Each structure stands twice: as C-alpha cells, then as structure tokens.
Amino acid sequence: MEFIKTDIEGLILVKPKVFTDNRGFFLESYSVSKFKEGGIDCAFVQDNHSCSINAGVIRGLHFQTEPCSQSKLIRVIRGSIFDAAVDLRRDSPTFGQWRGFTLSAANYDMLFIPRGFAHGFCTLEDNSEIAYKADNLYSPQHDAGIIWNDPDIGIEWPVKEPILSAKDANLPKFNQVFK
C-alpha cells in the first residue's frame, strides 16, 4: 500500500496493492497497522455507502461541526467520481484551499480526508457507488455544508449544471460560514 501525502497537511491519497488474475482482483482496502505507518491514525466507527444513478450528481460540500467532526476514507466501488476536499481548519496555512482527485473502481485509489475538511464529489459515470469510513458517528445537529460552486473556494467541477439535492442547492457560502 502506498500513502501519498498531498501539499495540504493530512490529506492523503491511498493506493492499495492490487492483485489481478483471470478471476478478477483482490486488494486490502484497510489495515490499521499499515494505515498507522502511512500517517493515518484514527479509529473508524461508521461505514457509509452511496449510489448516484446519474453522472453529474454533486453531493456536498458537507462537514460536521465540533465536537462531531469526522475524518473520512473515501473509496469508489463502482464507476468514478471527482472528489473535492476543502481545508476548513482556521489555523492551517491552507485554510480555504481545495484539492481534487479522480477516484474510480478502475484505479482503486482511496482518499483520506482528516477532520476539519468539507467534502464533496461529482459522479463521472452513471451508477457510481462510493463506500466510505468515518471516525465519528453522524450527528444531525452538527451537520453543515458550503455551496458547491462558491466562487471564494473556486472548485473546478467537471460539470456546470449538476444534479443536486434541495439541501445541497441551498447551502450557504464559505464567507457566511467562516466570517
């Protein structure tokens, strides 16, 4: 397993070792000891699974406020996504900056997003399925978000007119959340 640290502290691309043969493939998607060696030391307590029927669906940008913030390990098990993470840590030199990654069932890459980030993704294929782990339980009272197309963040999404939930279409701007 390879752990590629990005230029934003704590944001790590994980490339598992994949074994393929005429039957298909095998990979180890999580190992507490290997992840700890790779700089990811958290105890995951919740698994989530999301399916988006159409390409062009954006989910996010979501995060949970303290004390219920979450680290996430994102993995695509069918299809592909453009995944975006935004640094919301006020004391970080990269506060307000984002990074994007293409994750797919074909490339097997995973993305570790530490606590203190907003997260969102855009499906690049129909019937894309995402499985992700979180290190804190979901808390509806601490659920928060930022509008997907906030010009102050400037994420370069692969779609101009995405399919959104009513909730995601009405999220506040970055400067309304972080004054």
Side-chain angles (χ1 to χ4, degrees):
M1 210 172 279
E2 183 181 5
F3 296 85
I4 301 168
K5 295 181 178 176
T6 69
D7 63 334
I8 295 183
E9 181 66 33
L11 191 61
I12 301 172
L13 188 66
V14 181
K15 292 184 166 287
K17 190 169 187 179
V18 182
F19 302 91
T20 60
D21 63 22
N22 62 327
R23 301 167 296 165
F25 74 90
F26 171 84
L27 65 85
E28 184 178 62
S29 62
Y30 180 73
S31 163
V32 67
S33 62
K34 289 178 185 174
F35 270 63
K36 194 170 186 176
E37 280 179 29
I40 301 170
D41 188 13
C42 62
F44 293 112
V45 297
Q46 182 174 323
D47 279 356
N48 300 311
H49 188 142
S50 166
C51 179
S52 297
I53 295 170
N54 299 109
V57 168
I58 288 182
R59 295 180 187 261
L61 299 163
H62 303 144
F63 63 97
Q64 289 206 158
T65 60
E66 292 295 342
C68 296
S69 63
Q70 296 176 315
S71 295
K72 296 177 181 175
L73 179 63
I74 312 297
R75 180 170 173 245
V76 174
I77 56 177
R78 181 168 59 168
S80 60
I81 63 171
F82 171 79
D83 200 274
V86 181
D87 190 349
L88 303 180
R89 302 169 298 183
R90 289 182 189 267
D91 60 346
S92 169
T94 53
F95 175 68
Q97 293 183 28
W98 68 276
R99 296 297 179 267
F101 305 85
T102 298
L103 306 177
S104 71
N107 71 16
Y108 306 102
D109 290 351
M110 296 180 279
L111 182 63
F112 176 75
I113 303 169
R115 291 182 180 202
F117 279 70
H119 172 249
F121 64 85
C122 177
T123 56
L124 302 174
E125 297 178 47
D126 291 348
N127 297 308
S128 289
E129 291 189 51
I130 295 85
Y132 62 97
K133 296 180 173 305
D135 74 341
N136 207 350
L137 298 175
Y138 173 74
S139 171
Q141 299 87 345
H142 297 89
D143 188 40
I146 299 167
I147 192 74
W148 68 279
N149 61 350
D150 188 304
D152 289 336
I153 297 172
I155 295 173
E156 296 171 12
W157 295 103
V159 296
K160 299 289 181 222
E161 295 184 29
I163 301 165
L164 301 166
S165 69
K167 173 188 161 188
D168 287 354
N170 291 295
L171 290 171
K173 290 185 173 183
F174 181 81
N175 65 13
Q176 293 171 305
V177 177
F178 295 94
K179 296 178 186 196

Tab-separated table of all heavy atoms in Angstrom, residues 13 26 28 49 57-58 65 67 71 85 98-99 111 122 133 136-138 142 153 159 166 168 174:
chain	number	residue	atom	x	y	z
A	13	LEU	N	-3.643	10.536	-0.370
A	13	LEU	CA	-4.128	9.617	-1.390
A	13	LEU	C	-3.553	8.239	-1.088
A	13	LEU	O	-2.344	8.099	-0.881
A	13	LEU	CB	-3.689	10.081	-2.781
A	13	LEU	CG	-4.281	9.317	-3.959
A	13	LEU	CD1	-5.795	9.525	-4.053
A	13	LEU	CD2	-3.618	9.750	-5.255
A	26	PHE	N	-7.957	-8.809	-6.144
A	26	PHE	CA	-8.013	-8.772	-4.694
A	26	PHE	C	-7.191	-7.573	-4.248
A	26	PHE	O	-6.124	-7.298	-4.794
A	26	PHE	CB	-7.429	-10.045	-4.061
A	26	PHE	CG	-7.274	-9.929	-2.560
A	26	PHE	CD1	-8.338	-10.192	-1.726
A	26	PHE	CD2	-6.069	-9.502	-2.004
A	26	PHE	CE1	-8.204	-10.042	-0.351
A	26	PHE	CE2	-5.929	-9.358	-0.631
A	26	PHE	CZ	-7.001	-9.633	0.204
A	28	GLU	N	-6.345	-5.255	-0.382
A	28	GLU	CA	-6.594	-4.966	1.025
A	28	GLU	C	-6.967	-3.494	1.096
A	28	GLU	O	-6.138	-2.627	0.802
A	28	GLU	CB	-5.324	-5.255	1.823
A	28	GLU	CG	-5.466	-5.098	3.304
A	28	GLU	CD	-4.175	-5.459	4.013
A	28	GLU	OE1	-3.145	-4.784	3.765
A	28	GLU	OE2	-4.194	-6.417	4.797
A	49	HIS	N	-22.412	4.034	2.514
A	49	HIS	CA	-22.430	3.587	1.127
A	49	HIS	C	-23.406	4.484	0.380
A	49	HIS	O	-24.547	4.645	0.795
A	49	HIS	CB	-22.893	2.122	1.095
A	49	HIS	CG	-22.773	1.469	-0.234
A	49	HIS	ND1	-22.394	0.166	-0.367
A	49	HIS	CD2	-22.989	1.904	-1.499
A	49	HIS	CE1	-22.388	-0.184	-1.633
A	49	HIS	NE2	-22.746	0.868	-2.345
A	57	VAL	N	-24.037	14.112	-10.776
A	57	VAL	CA	-24.575	14.363	-9.441
A	57	VAL	C	-23.452	14.928	-8.577
A	57	VAL	O	-22.353	14.381	-8.550
A	57	VAL	CB	-25.114	13.059	-8.796
A	57	VAL	CG1	-25.413	13.253	-7.314
A	57	VAL	CG2	-26.353	12.569	-9.534
A	58	ILE	N	-23.731	16.031	-7.901
A	58	ILE	CA	-22.796	16.531	-6.885
A	58	ILE	C	-23.443	16.348	-5.528
A	58	ILE	O	-24.597	16.727	-5.319
A	58	ILE	CB	-22.418	18.012	-7.107
A	58	ILE	CG1	-21.501	18.133	-8.327
A	58	ILE	CG2	-21.729	18.590	-5.863
A	58	ILE	CD1	-21.012	19.548	-8.620
A	65	THR	N	-19.695	19.937	12.356
A	65	THR	CA	-19.039	20.875	13.262
A	65	THR	C	-18.592	20.151	14.532
A	65	THR	O	-19.036	19.039	14.819
A	65	THR	CB	-19.991	22.025	13.621
A	65	THR	OG1	-21.162	21.498	14.249
A	65	THR	CG2	-20.379	22.826	12.374
A	67	PRO	N	-18.393	19.175	18.361
A	67	PRO	CA	-17.344	18.189	18.600
A	67	PRO	C	-17.518	16.908	17.777
A	67	PRO	O	-16.953	15.878	18.116
A	67	PRO	CB	-17.512	17.879	20.089
A	67	PRO	CG	-18.996	17.962	20.293
A	67	PRO	CD	-19.452	19.086	19.375
A	71	SER	N	-13.136	12.415	10.243
A	71	SER	CA	-12.186	12.032	9.207
A	71	SER	C	-12.891	11.001	8.351
A	71	SER	O	-13.722	10.234	8.857
A	71	SER	CB	-10.925	11.397	9.808
A	71	SER	OG	-10.211	12.322	10.573
A	85	ALA	N	-11.913	18.085	-1.571
A	85	ALA	CA	-11.771	18.314	-0.133
A	85	ALA	C	-11.321	19.754	0.073
A	85	ALA	O	-10.412	20.231	-0.618
A	85	ALA	CB	-10.757	17.348	0.461
A	98	TRP	N	-8.648	24.025	-1.683
A	98	TRP	CA	-9.226	22.732	-2.033
A	98	TRP	C	-8.252	21.944	-2.893
A	98	TRP	O	-7.365	22.500	-3.531
A	98	TRP	CB	-10.550	22.908	-2.772
A	98	TRP	CG	-10.388	23.512	-4.140
A	98	TRP	CD1	-10.290	24.843	-4.450
A	98	TRP	CD2	-10.267	22.810	-5.385
A	98	TRP	NE1	-10.127	24.999	-5.812
A	98	TRP	CE2	-10.103	23.770	-6.418
A	98	TRP	CE3	-10.287	21.453	-5.733
A	98	TRP	CZ2	-9.971	23.428	-7.752
A	98	TRP	CZ3	-10.147	21.121	-7.069
A	98	TRP	CH2	-10.000	22.096	-8.059
A	99	ARG	N	-8.472	20.639	-2.908
A	99	ARG	CA	-7.762	19.747	-3.818
A	99	ARG	C	-8.781	18.752	-4.357
A	99	ARG	O	-9.708	18.347	-3.654
A	99	ARG	CB	-6.619	18.989	-3.132
A	99	ARG	CG	-5.492	19.872	-2.621
A	99	ARG	CD	-4.771	20.622	-3.754
A	99	ARG	NE	-3.714	21.484	-3.240
A	99	ARG	CZ	-3.857	22.769	-2.926
A	99	ARG	NH1	-5.032	23.365	-3.045
A	99	ARG	NH2	-2.830	23.459	-2.485
A	111	LEU	N	-9.105	8.091	-0.840
A	111	LEU	CA	-8.693	9.389	-0.326
A	111	LEU	C	-9.012	9.464	1.157
A	111	LEU	O	-10.154	9.227	1.558
A	111	LEU	CB	-9.412	10.515	-1.072
A	111	LEU	CG	-9.028	11.935	-0.662
A	111	LEU	CD1	-7.551	12.205	-0.965
A	111	LEU	CD2	-9.911	12.948	-1.365
A	122	CYS	N	-18.462	14.683	-7.351
A	122	CYS	CA	-19.291	14.711	-8.549
A	122	CYS	C	-19.126	13.376	-9.254
A	122	CYS	O	-17.992	12.950	-9.523
A	122	CYS	CB	-18.847	15.846	-9.475
A	122	CYS	SG	-19.763	15.890	-11.038
A	133	LYS	N	-15.544	5.289	5.124
A	133	LYS	CA	-15.462	5.109	6.563
A	133	LYS	C	-15.376	6.484	7.212
A	133	LYS	O	-14.806	7.411	6.649
A	133	LYS	CB	-14.200	4.314	6.931
A	133	LYS	CG	-14.164	2.899	6.397
A	133	LYS	CD	-12.878	2.198	6.818
A	133	LYS	CE	-12.872	0.749	6.449
A	133	LYS	NZ	-13.992	-0.029	6.933
A	136	ASN	N	-16.075	9.245	13.304
A	136	ASN	CA	-17.015	9.764	14.291
A	136	ASN	C	-18.417	9.506	13.750
A	136	ASN	O	-18.617	9.508	12.531
A	136	ASN	CB	-16.799	11.263	14.514
A	136	ASN	CG	-17.220	11.728	15.893
A	136	ASN	OD1	-17.846	10.983	16.652
A	136	ASN	ND2	-16.871	12.955	16.232
A	137	LEU	N	-19.346	9.273	14.636
A	137	LEU	CA	-20.713	8.989	14.212
A	137	LEU	C	-21.375	10.243	13.644
A	137	LEU	O	-21.074	11.363	14.064
A	137	LEU	CB	-21.527	8.456	15.390
A	137	LEU	CG	-21.026	7.144	15.991
A	137	LEU	CD1	-21.834	6.784	17.232
A	137	LEU	CD2	-21.075	6.025	14.970
A	138	TYR	N	-22.285	10.036	12.703
A	138	TYR	CA	-23.048	11.136	12.131
A	138	TYR	C	-23.925	11.756	13.210
A	138	TYR	O	-24.571	11.055	13.989
A	138	TYR	CB	-23.909	10.640	10.966
A	138	TYR	CG	-24.836	11.706	10.450
A	138	TYR	CD1	-24.346	12.762	9.691
A	138	TYR	CD2	-26.189	11.677	10.736
A	138	TYR	CE1	-25.187	13.760	9.223
A	138	TYR	CE2	-27.043	12.660	10.269
A	138	TYR	CZ	-26.537	13.698	9.519
A	138	TYR	OH	-27.372	14.687	9.066
A	142	HIS	N	-25.020	18.500	14.116
A	142	HIS	CA	-23.732	19.078	13.754
A	142	HIS	C	-23.478	19.042	12.242
A	142	HIS	O	-22.382	19.347	11.783
A	142	HIS	CB	-22.608	18.348	14.501
A	142	HIS	CG	-22.723	18.519	15.981
A	142	HIS	ND1	-23.446	17.662	16.777
A	142	HIS	CD2	-22.229	19.469	16.800
A	142	HIS	CE1	-23.390	18.072	18.030
A	142	HIS	NE2	-22.658	19.162	18.076
A	153	ILE	N	-14.106	29.680	-2.990
A	153	ILE	CA	-13.339	28.433	-2.957
A	153	ILE	C	-12.838	28.108	-4.362
A	153	ILE	O	-11.682	27.769	-4.555
A	153	ILE	CB	-14.190	27.276	-2.386
A	153	ILE	CG1	-14.574	27.587	-0.938
A	153	ILE	CG2	-13.416	25.958	-2.478
A	153	ILE	CD1	-15.564	26.614	-0.335
A	159	VAL	N	-18.638	19.583	-14.093
A	159	VAL	CA	-19.970	19.883	-14.637
A	159	VAL	C	-20.323	21.327	-14.313
A	159	VAL	O	-19.863	21.882	-13.319
A	159	VAL	CB	-21.067	18.944	-14.068
A	159	VAL	CG1	-20.836	17.507	-14.480
A	159	VAL	CG2	-21.189	19.065	-12.570
A	166	ALA	N	-32.127	19.268	-2.872
A	166	ALA	CA	-32.605	20.590	-2.450
A	166	ALA	C	-31.719	21.131	-1.330
A	166	ALA	O	-31.385	22.320	-1.307
A	166	ALA	CB	-34.060	20.497	-2.002
A	168	ASP	N	-28.457	20.492	-0.759
A	168	ASP	CA	-27.161	20.923	-1.267
A	168	ASP	C	-27.265	22.184	-2.119
A	168	ASP	O	-26.341	22.989	-2.159
A	168	ASP	CB	-26.492	19.801	-2.053
A	168	ASP	CG	-25.974	18.694	-1.150
A	168	ASP	OD1	-26.023	18.833	0.082
A	168	ASP	OD2	-25.516	17.673	-1.699
A	174	PHE	N	-19.085	30.048	1.719
A	174	PHE	CA	-17.938	29.925	2.623
A	174	PHE	C	-17.867	31.122	3.580
A	174	PHE	O	-17.722	30.965	4.791
A	174	PHE	CB	-16.647	29.809	1.800
A	174	PHE	CG	-15.399	29.660	2.610
A	174	PHE	CD1	-15.028	28.437	3.126
A	174	PHE	CD2	-14.581	30.756	2.834
A	174	PHE	CE1	-13.859	28.309	3.877
A	174	PHE	CE2	-13.415	30.641	3.568
A	174	PHE	CZ	-13.060	29.404	4.092
